[in-house]
Amino acid sequence: MTALSRRSALALGAAALTAPGLAKAASAQTFLAYEARLRGQLADRRGDFDADFERDLLDQGDAFREARGLSPLRFDPGLALAARAHAADIARSRIYDHMTREGFGPAARVGLLARDLVGAPAENIAMRRNAAGVVRPDQIMGQWKTSPGHRANLLAPGFTHAAYAALREGPQVIAVGVYAEVSARLAAPAPLRAQSVEAIAAALSRASPRIDQFSLSEPGGDVLTQTYVERPQPVSIPPGAWQLRPHLSSGTHKYQVAWGPVFVLG
């Protein structure tokens, strides 16, 4: 189980917001290669995912929440891509972890694959093989319910959306749940490549609810660049991989900093 902390997810402290110019770009080629790998594995393993199992996990997770007075979570296709991609990556690498060998975590996957989403992601993973009989969705959900960290993600009151992956490999199932507190949506999926900060601002310009300011950070990082208004003046930002960090303009988390898509600049 992993979830971004409240500080890093939606409420960066004043020190980060008042320290412009300290953020650093990540390697563009490393992120481009990871994105290509994820999308390639989604295509290669399409027939190995069990859609009925995935729907059952979503339904059972919602029933668990509703029994405790919490709202159900809406399915999100971008989160589904992130969940399936990581399940396929675990099957490929045999590294059963939230972090890949290169150091990519849930924020990177959601930022690369959920291209219209502004919010804070979290992730559950499970792997199961029964001594007899096929693995069932209630067994995976039961593992998560009895694990404190996984249970916290299932019952997080602020989460609004979720999606699940269930990858079958013979008698074994690799399951991934991805959750998010979605604060805003872009009008269209953001392009992965951008030539300038102005192009990133254009992708954000018709977000709903409206977002007027943003920063950039290293993907998954807390240290921000300077704050940009909706139509920034031309600025010099080093090329590389950056994560959009919108400053929320309305709603419950007004004036806080969320997570958005990853861009490769330059």
Side-chain angles (χ1 to χ4, degrees):
M1 180 286 306
T2 188
L4 299 173
S5 69
R6 294 300 299 173
R7 174 180 174 275
S8 63
L10 287 172
L12 288 176
L17 292 174
T18 58
L22 298 180
K24 296 180 180 180
S27 165
Q29 290 306 313
T30 301
F31 268 82
L32 289 172
Y34 184 50
E35 193 264 354
R37 185 174 93 205
L38 292 177
R39 292 194 182 276
Q41 289 173 167
L42 284 169
D44 292 344
R45 303 301 297 265
R46 185 179 296 116
D48 299 324
F49 292 105
D50 187 330
D52 290 337
F53 196 116
E54 293 165 350
R55 281 190 292 271
D56 284 346
L57 287 175
L58 184 64
D59 290 344
Q60 289 181 24
D62 282 346
F64 188 49
R65 289 176 63 87
E66 290 175 319
R68 286 151 184 82
L70 297 169
S71 298
L73 302 180
R74 296 186 289 280
F75 172 81
D76 182 86
L79 299 182
L81 290 177
R84 283 188 164 191
H86 193 45
D89 211 34
I90 290 172
R92 177 199 64 84
S93 68
R94 299 301 168 188
I95 297 174
Y96 177 65
D97 203 309
H98 298 287
M99 304 299 292
T100 69
R101 183 179 288 109
E102 306 93 335
F104 295 115
R109 287 185 285 278
V110 172
L112 285 169
L113 298 175
R115 303 297 302 170
D116 68 337
L117 188 150
V118 173
E123 183 179 82
N124 283 352
I125 58 175
M127 186 183 296
R128 186 180 181 100
R129 181 195 300 262
N130 290 344
V134 297
V135 177
R136 305 187 311 272
D138 63 290
Q139 293 174 321
I140 296 292
M141 191 58 64
Q143 290 179 212
W144 288 338
K145 288 178 181 179
T146 55
S147 165
H150 296 89
R151 182 185 179 95
N153 277 343
L154 292 172
L155 297 178
F159 287 157
T160 57
H161 292 72
Y164 292 88
L167 178 66
R168 287 197 179 275
E169 290 192 305
Q172 177 175 273
V173 169
I174 299 170
V176 178
V178 181
Y179 314 89
E181 181 174 3
V182 178
S183 306
R185 293 280 186 182
L186 306 187
L192 178 60
R193 290 180 176 269
Q195 294 304 310
S196 64
V197 174
E198 293 77 16
I200 295 175
L204 185 63
S205 63
R206 291 189 294 125
S208 179
R210 180 185 176 94
I211 295 173
D212 295 325
Q213 298 182 352
F214 67 96
S215 300
L216 302 175
S217 73
E218 181 179 355
D222 278 351
V223 180
L224 305 183
T225 64
Q226 67 194 66
T227 298
Y228 306 100
V229 295
E230 183 180 358
R231 294 179 177 83
Q233 296 298 315
V235 292
S236 177
I237 296 293
W242 295 92
Q243 191 147 22
L244 177 64
R245 302 303 301 277
H247 299 196
L248 302 180
S249 305
S250 62
T252 305
H253 302 296
K254 188 176 181 180
Y255 307 124
Q256 295 178 342
V257 180
W259 298 85
V262 170
F263 289 85
V264 173
L265 190 62

